Amino acid sequence: MQSKITPTRDYIFFVVFAAAVLTMPIWLAPFGAGYPDLLQKFMIYGLFATGFNLLFGLTGYLSFGHAAFLGVGSYTAVWTFKLLGMNPIPAALMAITASGVFALLIGYVSLRRSGIYFSILTLAFAQMSYNLAYSVLTPITNGETGLRVLQSDPRILDSSAGSGGPLLANLFGIELTGYAGFYFCAAVLIIGFYIAMRIFRSPFGIMLRAVKTNQNRMNYTGLNPRPYTLAAFVISGMYAGLAGALMCITDPLAGAERMQWTASGEVVLMTILGGAGTLLGPILGAALIKYFENIFSAFNDQTLHEIFGFLPDFLETPIVGLTSLFVGEGWHLTLGVLFMLIVIFLPGGIMEGFSRIIRLFRRDESKSAAQTAPAE
Amino acid sequence: MELLKVSGVNKAFGGLKALNDVNLTVNEGTVHAIIGPNGAGKSTLLNCFVGRLIPDTGTVMFADKSLIGLKAHQINQAGVSRVFQTPEIFGELSLLQNVMIPTMAKRDGEFALHAFKRLDKDAEIIDTALHSLEDVGLADKKDVIANSLSRGDKRRLELAMCLVQSPRLLLLDEPTAGMSRADTNNTIDLLKRIGEDHNITKVVIEHDMHVVFSLATTVSVLAQGTVICEGKPQDIKGDPRVQEAYLGGAHL
Ligand SMILES: Nc1ncnc2c1ncn2[C@@H]1O[C@H](COP(=O)(O)OP(=O)(O)OP(=O)(O)O)[C@@H](O)[C@H]1O
Ligand SMILES: [Mg+2]
């Protein structure tokens, strides 16, 4: 069994995590990821995946429609900006509330089924939300163009309203662009991570694991699995909504494509890639996918020709032709291959990889200990 | 006092009449064994008690309250726990966690949103759960993942999960099946001891006559969905109707 989890260990784990997140601009710089735009994406998608994992990792219910909550969060945040002003805190709170209510409705219906039927129901709801946002709800969502904050919006709490200043989220005078934006999102991720950690260690958390393991036994033990699962669904919907709101702070724009099924699928990939059911895994998975997306999608034929320029022409052309399938627009192909490899060889994701490596070292230690023991 | 009263229960699966007008009364403080050949309807009868099956007709009263139509978790909260023929445990969790869950269900009810408490600081729950694991002799394996247990140990774990709730009525479906003689005797001792300590009324389905005669105060014989006779263990032994029902079965 793995080493024992104690409050002290958790505390250390949390402090190390927070420190690692806050120093990312420094230690990620050598990897070419030390700039605020990308780091902010790590934070936002890390938060999204952390929330998704509370549902999928603990209860085993695989939602294929979490992007709907992301979208609801974004729209709510932009509307809050429009009506109340550019302070991100009311926007975040409103987004959490709206996505929570939305998740309650969708969850109540979808959780009447389990397994693949649950997944399909959530997918259907998300796709429905996407279509509604795109067409019928145009007055609220501004359809195809997307919803943005305009100079003419009331923004009743903004002193600067109508002054013609830039339309950026603004935390008590600090404009949330660049590193300010990153640090704001980092703070939110750290809080979100802390809450997730508390849930993991709580009686509620163990009940969610019980849902995953044996609902039958749960019933005959006097527990009602339904409200537990619904609570997990709503909480994870709120995380998604908050992530959606954070997406709007540097760029106060919400579009329907945020709700598309590809976005729902992406968070599933992130969570599984990193390790479902672990605290850190989903955040690692999210960062890794966003990092590779950033690198691979920036490549084009010309950069490839530069890389393979040392090869003779008759080799260079086919190799560039082949690799170009995997970069730029086609980087999803790389993601697909990576995902397949992980699922086949490391079903527990990156975190399982880590624990395998650790176990390898431990075994070496215990081996040498066993060898020396008789000599003593 | 009558704790469980079953009257006129019928249950058919398609054309098969699994239970045919079953009447049964379990008195408080007794150990009531239900025996009968394979396919007699014993498990089906228990399923009707715990809400897994709803009888086609008839009533099931527990402490003067009808159990018909209640959900499984409501029946458990009313004071009925069940051990299954194939152990139902939380396979991916540790033994301690397995027992903590029913302990919390007993204390906090069918749903409680304790999302910010630390489970490992809840001394009351941990102590109760550990004590129950000690009772069944599994305390030294408390951090082991339940799936890795042997079948006999899984049964004992499931028993601990039920006992920790100190139910008023404990239903046991073949609690010693698949156990060695020594384990069977341990389980008999355990069930006897628990009976004395907590005054738990038990209904035991059992094929092993050794277990029946060591534990039971009353025996009902079920054959083809009907109770064919009922009485003290020593009276049942010699009854020709029972011999008849078991003819071909190697148990008596
Ligand atoms: N869900 C079901 N659907 C259809 N038939 C069933 C179902 N459950 C039980 N039966 C049938 O009802 C009859 C009684 O089954 P039951 O499991 O109650 O027997 P039992 O007395 O527990 O036998 P055993 O000693 O083998 O456990 C059997 O013929 C069985 O095949
Ligand atoms: Mg049976």
Side-chain angles (χ1 to χ4, degrees), chain B residues 119-138:
Chain B
L119 186 57
D120 52 11
K121 281 191 175 166
D122 197 333
E124 181 194 349
I125 295 290
I126 296 174
D127 289 348
T128 318
L130 265 179
H131 194 79
S132 180
L133 278 177
E134 267 161 30
D135 271 346
V136 297
L138 287 174

Side-chain angles (χ1 to χ4, degrees), chain A residues 21-103:
Chain A
V21 166
L22 293 173
T23 53
M24 269 183 173
I26 303 167
W27 62 269
L28 279 181
F31 300 96
Y35 58 96
D37 263 19
L38 183 60
L39 291 174
Q40 196 169 334
K41 268 191 189 159
F42 290 178
M43 301 298 104
I44 295 173
Y45 282 92
L47 187 72
F48 187 22
T50 299
F52 181 78
N53 184 47
L54 286 174
L55 178 71
F56 174 58
L58 291 179
T59 71
Y61 277 78
L62 177 56
S63 160
F64 258 111
H66 256 50
F69 309 124
L70 202 70
V72 169
S74 285
Y75 282 122
T76 314
V78 174
W79 267 110
T80 315
F81 286 148
K82 284 164 90 70
L83 297 176
L84 294 183
M86 302 307 290
N87 189 327
I89 290 178
L93 294 177
M94 293 300 285
I96 293 173
T97 314
S99 53
V101 171
F102 198 60

Side-chain angles (χ1 to χ4, degrees), chain B residues 42-44 85 173-174 205:
Chain B
K42 304 181 296 292
S43 297
T44 306
Q85 196 163 352
D173 200 344
E174 308 196 17
I205 292 179

Side-chain angles (χ1 to χ4, degrees), chain A residues 1 10 198 216-217 220 222, chain B residues 52 77 88 116 143 158:
Chain A
M1 248 214 86
D10 273 349
R198 293 303 300 250
N216 218 357
R217 181 26 97 193
Y220 294 105
Chain B
R52 179 174 264 194
Q77 290 288 353
E88 292 268 4
F116 277 94
D143 292 325
E158 200 188 18

Side-chain angles (χ1 to χ4, degrees), chain A residues 301-319:
Chain A
D301 278 8
Q302 202 186 328
T303 41
L304 286 176
H305 276 294
E306 279 165 20
I307 293 172
F308 295 109
F310 65 93
L311 292 169
D313 262 359
F314 70 94
L315 272 179
E316 186 186 335
T317 321
I319 284 185

Side-chain angles (χ1 to χ4, degrees), chain A residues 165-178:
Chain A
L167 288 169
L168 288 167
N170 183 316
L171 183 69
F172 310 119
I174 306 166
E175 266 178 16
L176 296 180
T177 52

